[in-house]
Amino acid sequence: MLRIALTKGRIEEKAVEYLSKSGYDTSELDKDKRGRKLLFKVGSEIEVVLAKAADVITYVERGVCDGGVVGEDTIMEAGANVYELLDLEFGKCRFALAGIKGKNFYEGSGHKIIASKYPEVTKKYFNEKGLDVEVVKIEGSVELGPLLGLSDAIVDIVETGSTLKANGLEVYEDVAQISARFIANVSRIKTKKNEFDKLIAALSETVKKERQNS
Ligand code: PRP
């Protein structure tokens, strides 16, 4: 038996679709039947837990779940000690440095402030550039940072780019590409090798088929 944590929301919907396409019985997870339940049987071999992204990492790192599906953004921010077993190739987006359209971020030598929901990713990015910036953690609608004059720029997730556009902002540069990953607990990968091998082989096949169909 493998216990797998899925990130609630869009990632979970795609992950359930991929499990179903990989031959697993996901009927307990049907949205119209499941109510407020958080633990589900998927066939006889898998138990699924629904959790928030950062909690998926916590459960997998601490081994109360064997594996999980979570965005690369959360893995990067958590600096998590987990194995990334498979790039599921959905939930694709990118981390970008963005700000007021037409402004040159690097102009001037003044103190730069960056607003982000991802302070660790932001600090690491600027550290690697050798640039000392102040990072302000914002919980959501980070685009408000430059609009309100809180920050010179933001580091945030860009998917379609429409939130930036609607607010007169633009991408200055890409920071990293992101997609959903299947992660595993570092010791469980050895003790439950056969179970992981079977699941990852089935999911890999589905990822391949989806890629061919897209
Ligand atoms: C995310 C992200 C951007 C937006 C990007 O926010 O932080 O704001 O989506 O998507 P787009 O490029 O397709 O416009 P989310 O919807 O999670 O809300 P939040 O900002 O309140 O966290």
Side-chain angles (χ1 to χ4, degrees), residues 60-61 63 83 184-193 196:
V60 174
E61 258 190 326
Y83 266 129
N185 173 273
V186 288
S187 59
R188 222 49 70 65
I189 191 103
K190 294 171 208 136
T191 53
K192 294 198 174 181
K193 185 177 184 308
F196 274 120

Side-chain angles (χ1 to χ4, degrees), residues 10 117-118 139-143 156-164:
R10 273 179 287 184
K117 269 187 282 189
Y118 300 88
E139 296 296 335
S141 302
V142 180
E143 293 82 2
D156 199 20
I157 284 173
V158 178
E159 197 177 344
T160 61
S162 52
T163 311
L164 290 181

Side-chain angles (χ1 to χ4, degrees), residues 1-5 47 49 55-68 81-82 183-189 191-192 196:
M1 177 75 93
L2 278 182
R3 189 186 283 157
I4 305 298
E47 185 174 43
V49 171
D55 299 339
V56 168
I57 307 254
T58 304
Y59 296 146
V60 174
E61 258 190 326
R62 296 183 73 96
V64 294
C65 291
D66 302 304
N81 181 28
V82 291
I183 58 169
N185 173 273
V186 288
S187 59
R188 222 49 70 65
I189 191 103
T191 53
K192 294 198 174 181
F196 274 120

Side-chain angles (χ1 to χ4, degrees), residues 3 28-29 36-41 47-50:
R3 189 186 283 157
E28 274 201 14
L29 279 148
R36 301 282 296 166
K37 260 179 81 167
L38 297 168
L39 268 162
F40 306 88
K41 284 268 176 303
E47 185 174 43
V48 161
V49 171
L50 298 183

